[in-house]
Amino acid sequence: MNLYKHQIPQIGENFFTIFKDKNITVKKIVSSDIIEDKLYIQEQNEYVFVIKGKADLEVNNKKITLNSGDSIFLKAKTPHRILSVQKGTIWLAIYYS
């Protein structure tokens, strides 16, 4: 899989599983600039890299801006949401327990 080859969705995000094993999943995510306002509270730890693009997140009621090359660790059950995202943003998300 090439991280840079994909179609940008018109709405929401496309998820592509790159690797999955017993306690770890690696996904490529491609975002449109129209994102559902959704609060995420996940059961697994998540480490997210912005490969290309920009996004504003709300983590524990605090705004965080991620640009290309930035990353963030989200401990399991940490409330977070996407506030805004640049069309075509590519994420690499690692979920693990």
Side-chain angles (χ1 to χ4, degrees):
M1 172 182 290
N2 185 306
L3 288 178
Y4 297 102
K5 290 185 179 179
H6 54 267
Q7 289 188 333
I8 299 169
Q10 294 296 316
I11 297 173
E13 298 177 302
N14 289 340
F15 292 79
F16 306 91
T17 299
I18 295 173
F19 177 81
K20 184 174 176 92
D21 201 6
K22 184 178 177 182
N23 295 318
I24 187 169
T25 301
V26 179
K27 292 187 178 188
K28 171 182 142 179
I29 305 165
V30 181
S31 298
S32 75
D33 56 349
I34 302 170
I35 300 294
E36 177 185 6
D37 182 19
K38 179 178 178 182
L39 182 65
Y40 295 92
I41 303 174
Q42 295 160 297
E43 295 299 316
Q44 290 184 298
N45 295 313
E46 180 179 3
Y47 199 81
V48 181
F49 298 85
V50 174
I51 303 299
K52 176 183 172 188
K54 179 181 178 181
D56 292 318
L57 307 179
E58 180 183 291
V59 180
N60 286 326
N61 297 315
K62 181 180 175 186
K63 182 179 174 182
I64 297 172
T65 299
L66 298 176
N67 293 293
S68 295
D70 289 340
S71 63
I72 187 169
F73 170 71
L74 300 166
K75 188 173 178 165
K77 300 190 182 199
T78 299
H80 61 285
R81 77 176 74 237
I82 299 173
L83 299 174
S84 66
V85 64
Q86 183 179 56
K87 185 174 184 174
T89 294
I90 303 169
W91 313 73
L92 188 66
I94 301 168
Y95 305 93
Y96 64 96
S97 50

